[in-house]
Amino acid sequence: MIDGLKFKNQLISANELLLQNIDIVNSLNVFPVPDGDTGTNMSLTMQDGIKNIANLDTKSVGIVAQDFYKGVFYGARGNSGVILSQFFRGFSESLKSVKILDSNNLCASFLLAKKFAYQGIVDPVEGTMLTLINDISDFCNIKENQEIELVDLLYNISELARSSVLKTPTLLPILEEAGVVDSGAYGLEIILNAMYKSAANLQIKFEHIENYGKKTINNNAISKQFLDKVEHEEFGYCTQLLISGSNLSEDDIKKQIVPLGKSAVLIGDENLMKIHIHAEDPGSVLTVAGKFGQLSEIDIANMDQQHSNFDKNSRKTSTELNLGEVSVLSVVQGNGFERIFRDLGVHNIINCKNTMNPSVSEISDVVDQSESNSIIILPNNKNVIPAAIQVAKISDKDVRVIESVSMTQGIASMLSFRKDLNIDESFELLDSAILEIQYGEISISQRSARFGDIVVEKGEFIGFLNGQLLFSDKSLFVVFDKLLKHLETQEIELVTLYNGIDFADYESEELVNCLEQTWEDVDFEVHRGEQPNYHIIFSVE
Amino acid sequence: MSVKIVSDSACDIPKELAEELDIHVVPLYVNFGEESLRDGIDINAENFYQRLTSDPIHPFTSQPSPGDFLDIYQKLDSDNDGIISIHLSAKLSGTFKSASIASEDQSLKSKISVIDTGHVSMSSGLCVIEAARLAKNGADFDTIVKATNDFASRAHFVGLLDTLVYLEKGGRIGKARSMLGSLLNIKPMITVENGESKEFGKARTFKKGIAKLTDYCNQFGKLHSLSVVYSTDSDLALEFSHNLSSLINSKPIISRIGPVTGTHSGPGTIGVGFISNI
């Protein structure tokens, strides 16, 4: 019998199993290449749900489902997090007055879960977690299945989830090419698997898919993103730094660093290693790390203060507002970009550290705190758009979302901002301005992979234009030159480069010198974006 | 006998056109330190922009004195059907005030009306030109005053600057101040509204800025009259006026921004002033 307490345990197990497998889910997130954050997003979303039911002591399934949904709704991060939260909305609404879970109302929950999951998505893509939700919903719609014993039903669902996950590459060609299953679907399978095992009193352990999972896991496919799983019960300092040197051995460094704290993550190669650890004594981390090479980008944050810092920063208003004026909230990554956006008159900034995925509640907090009642949000990332749209839906204020998918589009948009216009006029101007530029990024590939005709070797520079991976090469100049040539059909006047935090000024000077010789009629302007993950973010106009 | 039209040099009316239409242009002053030069008389645009970018002394501008206006009014005082003195925005310059003081001088016999167009450069200049055309065609004093105020209410100006530095140095930045001090290299666009300069937008490149100016003009449909103004790049002005030529039935007037307006807009400025039909 599944009552409120047992149902709560199911959710807690799901959260824990997902947390254990976060790296694997991240590593499956193949496109665009360096953006492995699906696992992190789903897990952060789940964790906020758990926080909301942790102290709950009720026998009613309905209350647990509703409180859990409240938590995931506000904690939803990224696309996968938003879909996941909508999935649990189905449970929340369907189980509202349910005390004891049975097969009938579980099936009803999955049917509603599908309805809500699809509702939130403007452009549903099959071969993702939506496919899995769809398959289970179809299964639950069959009358005989609604009469199966509850634990058996949960078993059937977890088996069905596996077969759904396995078919995702056949539905989404990009997965097939990269040789992986869909990360979001896999994450949801893990959740459903844990819920079954918890109900059946089995050991909570996940059997990974042999072919797909292992192929990727053995490929050293750690995403470049850092796992931003700051657990509140941990004390100490979140310590991050870069070691540069030669012949850096991940194993040796790991051996010495890991004992110094919790949640240690080491990412990099033999020349550059990024370390993230929660340590009581950050000094000892620096001392040990310093033995391996030169240290840079040292960032030590008191974790207890992190949340309040975030609040303070995001509420800091640089431009004075008069009553009734429209204000702009911009989601950015990198202190350089923050400066540029403030300079252009953005009132509120959410500056994301490692991944660009503020939750619905983080954005909505800033919206609430804003002095203005008319707010335009520049999400500046595809993954932030769904959360921003949610905020617009729930806010009492007039909130509009410009669907900017890059910070450079956000900048183009802000150039049209004028203080004297009302929100309708402002929205129209800012919205049309995002199309005035072409945007691109250059990054370093974290894996060897093939995307259509493009073969990418690990460690090569990869160039994106308007969100599409187009070229890869060992030479940064060659990649940039090819990207510009790709645009040559139109006249290029100005290329603006924003240097990443790992990209030194002299490196960009060298690059621009080469580019200026090849592209005589083009102006190149260089700024510090100080963003992580991308060497260069650029715009062409 | 006819109505006489007086204007000022900050309206940037091309010299030949002023002569042809019998417009009496009173010069403002450009001062490099102690050296005070009459706009368009002691210094022309060509010499001015060279000096603006090389002279360590930054110039300032000053209005004509009431005496300067009185001289002109007295010269025109006999043999007229009235004098209409049409000037740049009173919020941007004391020119209107000087003219108003002069117009009240007891020695003058003529009926004088001093009009503040609320504009600057050729968006003001076009009002003057239209008034002078009416005067040339024999329109009476009241008709021209009424028409001029009406033109001024339909006048528009948008301009693209290379930098805001000159507007700031000259103290005429007004509500465009919010665009100052940008980290990105930005071409500010300004407009004139309620007699003051105001932010119109920001462009990263000249071409895009000009496209935005063009869009702005296009939204008014067919125009009554139009003028393209420039400070240093005449080729660009020609090209721009060519692009806008379908908006009016006559040829656009191309006018070089003179030393007084140029002190505030700086080199590399291009703009368009027009009078709309609606």
Side-chain angles (χ1 to χ4, degrees):
Chain A
M1 186 187 79
I2 296 183
D3 63 1
L5 288 176
K6 190 129 192 198
F7 185 57
K8 179 175 154 182
N9 281 334
Q10 281 185 293
L11 294 169
I12 290 171
S13 303
N15 179 46
E16 281 169 0
L17 193 62
L18 184 62
L19 204 56
Q20 281 166 28
N21 291 290
I22 206 168
D23 288 1
I24 291 163
V25 177
N26 276 339
S27 74
L28 295 171
N29 189 188
V30 290
F31 195 80
V33 179
D35 190 6
D37 59 0
T38 304
T40 312
N41 282 339
M42 291 179 82
S43 177
L44 288 170
T45 305
M46 284 294 283
Q47 286 173 46
D48 276 3
I50 296 298
K51 259 181 240 157
N52 223 35
I53 58 168
N55 298 320
L56 214 54
D57 188 20
T58 172
K59 293 219 151 83
S60 159
V61 166
I63 292 174
V64 176
Q66 286 179 60
D67 280 14
F68 185 75
Y69 169 62
K70 260 179 234 158
V72 292
F73 177 73
Y74 279 98
R77 281 156 213 254
N79 245 320
S80 51
V82 170
I83 298 175
L84 189 64
S85 73
Q86 292 305 295
F87 171 80
F88 280 113
R89 182 177 174 191
F91 283 70
S92 162
E93 302 228 343
S94 165
L95 301 174
K96 215 172 257 175
S97 51
V98 168
K99 285 220 164 69
I100 306 292
L101 194 67
D102 63 29
S103 296
N104 227 311
N105 52 40
L106 181 65
C107 282
S109 299
F110 275 108
L111 293 180
L112 264 189
K114 177 194 164 178
K115 185 186 140 200
F116 288 124
Y118 275 83
Q119 215 172 55
I121 313 299
V122 192
D123 183 21
V125 176
E126 293 300 331
T128 62
M129 59 198 285
L130 288 176
T131 305
L132 190 155
I133 294 169
N134 196 14
D135 287 350
I136 296 173
S137 163
D138 284 350
F139 178 81
C140 290
N141 206 13
I142 298 166
K143 191 115 189 36
E144 298 93 78
N145 295 335
Q146 296 165 7
E147 282 148 21
I148 306 174
E149 186 70 28
L150 183 57
V151 175
D152 292 340
L153 177 65
L154 281 165
Y155 170 74
N156 284 333
I157 286 170
S158 74
E159 286 295 297
L160 181 61
R162 169 58 54 98
S163 67
S164 274
V165 166
L166 287 173
K167 81 176 182 195
T168 54
T170 64
L171 295 170
L172 193 58
I174 193 80
L175 301 174
E176 179 77 57
E177 281 171 36
V180 292
V181 295
D182 179 68
S183 55
Y186 205 47
L188 187 53
E189 190 205 334
I190 293 170
I191 289 167
L192 295 171
N193 191 278
M195 289 181 79
Y196 153 64
K197 285 182 173 152
S198 168
N201 294 319
L202 296 168
Q203 191 194 356
I204 314 292
K205 200 170 159 263
F206 191 66
E207 307 289 331
H208 280 287
I209 294 173
E210 271 183 32
N211 294 335
Y212 292 93
K214 274 194 180 151
K215 182 174 172 187
T216 327
I217 295 153
N218 292 340
N219 205 7
N220 235 348
I222 310 169
S223 84
K224 195 171 181 176
Q225 309 289 355
F226 270 88
L227 313 182
D228 191 20
K229 45 172 183 180
V230 181
E231 287 153 4
H232 285 271
E233 62 270 26
E234 286 186 9
F235 293 102
Y237 297 87
C238 175
T239 311
Q240 298 188 67
L241 53 93
L242 273 177
I243 309 177
S244 46
S246 50
N247 298 322
L248 297 176
S249 154
E250 194 179 338
D251 286 341
D252 290 353
I253 299 175
K254 210 182 244 170
K255 245 179 250 165
Q256 299 200 33
I257 292 284
V258 170
L260 300 175
K262 287 179 178 168
S263 302
V265 185
L266 281 81
I267 287 171
D269 55 31
E270 53 192 4
N271 299 318
L272 196 64
M273 186 76 61
K274 184 146 189 174
I275 292 179
H276 165 279
I277 188 166
H278 296 166
E280 296 253 18
D281 174 13
S284 64
V285 177
L286 300 185
T287 312
V288 171
K291 289 194 292 192
F292 293 96
Q294 278 204 316
L295 305 185
S296 60
E297 309 293 351
I298 298 167
D299 184 356
I300 298 168
N302 184 332
M303 288 190 291
D304 300 332
Q305 279 175 7
Q306 265 179 352
H307 187 72
S308 56
N309 279 347
F310 162 77
D311 273 357
K312 238 190 295 169
N313 285 332
S314 53
R315 286 168 196 168
K316 190 170 63 193
T317 300
S318 60
T319 316
E320 274 179 37
L321 268 174
N322 292 326
L323 206 70
E325 267 177 24
V326 177
S327 76
V328 181
L329 189 172
S330 181
V331 180
V332 307
Q333 209 173 14
N335 293 340
F337 273 108
E338 171 166 353
R339 284 195 294 274
I340 289 164
F341 273 100
R342 283 204 189 281
D343 183 62
L344 290 173
V346 163
H347 305 85
N348 295 98
I349 301 260
I350 296 177
N351 189 347
C352 305
K353 265 229 150 111
N354 299 321
T355 48
M356 216 159 155
N357 60 352
S359 68
V360 172
S361 71
E362 278 169 348
I363 301 174
S364 117
D365 278 354
V366 179
V367 165
D368 288 346
Q369 295 294 324
S370 169
E371 291 162 44
S372 170
N373 286 320
S374 309
I375 296 161
I376 289 176
I377 303 181
L378 294 169
N380 299 334
N381 186 311
K382 215 170 64 186
N383 295 329
V384 182
I385 293 172
I389 289 173
Q390 287 280 21
V391 171
K393 272 190 200 151
I394 59 169
S395 178
D396 296 334
K397 298 185 175 184
D398 190 352
V399 179
R400 315 280 175 95
V401 180
I402 307 272
E403 300 203 357
S404 57
V405 297
S406 70
M407 289 190 278
T408 42
Q409 276 195 337
I411 288 171
S413 193
M414 264 323 276
L415 290 174
S416 294
F417 183 71
R418 277 161 57 187
K419 282 176 91 173
D420 57 324
L421 302 179
N422 68 31
I423 189 154
D424 291 322
E425 295 162 332
S426 299
F427 179 78
E428 201 188 317
L429 258 183
L430 267 64
D431 195 45
S432 61
I434 60 175
L435 299 174
E436 286 182 9
I437 55 145
Q438 316 273 342
Y439 64 93
E441 299 87 22
I442 293 179
S443 179
I444 291 178
S445 177
Q446 299 299 300
R447 67 163 79 227
S448 300
R450 187 189 173 92
F451 295 98
D453 298 337
I454 299 149
V455 180
V456 178
E457 301 288 337
K458 188 181 170 201
E460 272 188 346
F461 291 101
I462 46 177
F464 297 83
L465 201 59
N466 299 327
Q468 252 195 312
L469 171 62
L470 288 180
F471 303 106
S472 73
D473 198 279
K474 293 199 162 43
S475 153
L476 179 59
F477 168 74
V478 168
V479 172
F480 213 124
D481 188 55
K482 279 183 177 170
L483 289 170
L484 291 182
K485 284 206 177 92
H486 194 78
L487 284 171
E488 215 180 5
T489 41
Q490 60 197 82
E491 206 181 311
I492 301 175
E493 273 191 286
L494 173 70
V495 178
T496 312
L497 290 82
Y498 301 91
N499 292 343
I501 196 142
D502 297 332
F503 194 52
D505 288 351
Y506 76 88
E507 289 179 286
S508 84
E509 260 172 50
E510 266 174 26
L511 172 69
V512 168
N513 282 341
C514 293
L515 289 168
E516 276 172 343
Q517 281 171 23
T518 319
W519 298 85
E520 284 177 359
D521 297 334
V522 178
D523 283 338
F524 290 91
E525 204 178 297
V526 183
H527 297 277
R528 283 164 177 250
E530 293 170 27
Q531 70 277 6
N533 305 328
Y534 291 103
H535 262 54
I536 298 170
I537 290 177
F538 66 94
S539 61
V540 182
E541 51 204 305
Chain B
M1 295 245 288
S2 67
V3 176
K4 303 289 180 194
I5 304 296
V6 175
S7 184
D8 59 71
S9 67
C11 291
D12 290 332
I13 301 163
K15 225 174 189 152
E16 322 76 65
L17 200 57
E19 277 164 19
E20 183 195 322
L21 293 171
D22 208 16
I23 299 166
H24 302 270
V25 176
V26 177
L28 282 78
Y29 295 89
V30 179
N31 314 287
F32 284 89
E34 307 261 291
E35 187 186 356
S36 193
L37 304 164
R38 285 175 297 170
D39 182 10
I41 296 171
D42 302 324
I43 188 164
N44 64 19
E46 194 57 48
N47 297 334
F48 169 75
Y49 286 111
Q50 261 175 24
R51 191 159 171 191
L52 180 66
T53 47
S54 59
D55 199 316
I57 301 171
H58 187 76
F60 63 97
T61 57
S62 55
Q63 71 216 62
S65 66
D68 290 337
F69 279 108
L70 191 57
D71 285 351
I72 289 280
Y73 296 158
Q74 281 172 344
K75 209 174 92 192
L76 301 171
D77 200 25
S78 51
D79 197 30
N80 68 50
D81 288 330
I83 299 169
I84 302 176
S85 200
I86 307 167
H87 302 288
L88 85 152
S89 169
K91 284 189 186 156
L92 293 172
S93 164
T95 304
F96 174 79
K97 195 165 176 115
S98 288
S100 299
I101 292 169
S103 74
E104 282 156 20
D105 193 276
Q106 300 298 323
S107 70
L108 297 167
K109 300 190 301 285
S110 309
K111 189 158 60 166
I112 302 178
S113 175
V114 183
I115 295 177
D116 170 13
T117 61
H119 273 266
V120 68
S121 189
M122 274 301 270
S123 54
S124 184
L126 285 173
C127 300
V128 179
I129 290 165
E130 295 303 327
R133 285 196 172 129
L134 286 173
K136 210 162 188 180
N137 290 334
D140 65 41
F141 183 86
D142 289 344
T143 305
I144 301 173
V145 169
K146 199 165 166 269
T148 307
N149 280 312
D150 184 45
F151 288 132
S153 71
R154 289 186 276 135
H156 301 268
F157 182 87
V158 279
L160 177 64
L161 311 184
D162 194 39
T163 166
L164 275 180
V165 167
Y166 294 94
L167 204 58
E168 197 208 6
K169 278 186 181 166
R172 301 300 199 283
I173 194 155
K175 288 179 175 163
R177 181 173 294 280
S178 58
M179 289 189 289
L180 262 180
S182 175
L183 291 171
L184 298 177
N185 187 6
I186 277 167
K187 315 262 172 255
M189 292 187 286
I190 56 161
T191 181
V192 177
E193 214 176 270
N194 300 323
E196 286 180 285
S197 60
K198 216 188 84 177
E199 171 176 5
F200 176 67
K202 309 179 188 79
R204 290 305 315 281
T205 71
F206 244 81
K207 213 169 123 189
K208 272 198 187 170
I210 284 176
K212 281 186 179 160
L213 300 189
T214 308
D215 286 349
Y216 179 77
C217 298
N218 279 331
Q219 71 182 5
F220 290 89
K222 276 272 180 189
L223 302 173
H224 182 273
S225 52
L226 179 147
S227 170
V228 167
V229 297
Y230 72 98
S231 57
T232 45
D233 193 342
S234 57
D235 290 344
L236 191 64
L238 260 172
E239 196 189 316
F240 188 33
S241 78
H242 186 75
N243 291 341
L244 295 170
S245 58
S246 64
L247 292 175
I248 50 167
N249 294 325
S250 51
K251 249 181 92 180
I253 301 166
I254 295 178
S255 172
R256 185 158 196 188
I257 296 170
V260 164
T261 314
T263 300
H264 303 288
S265 65
T269 302
I270 189 149
V272 55
F274 62 89
I275 294 171
S276 63
N277 279 322
I278 36 167

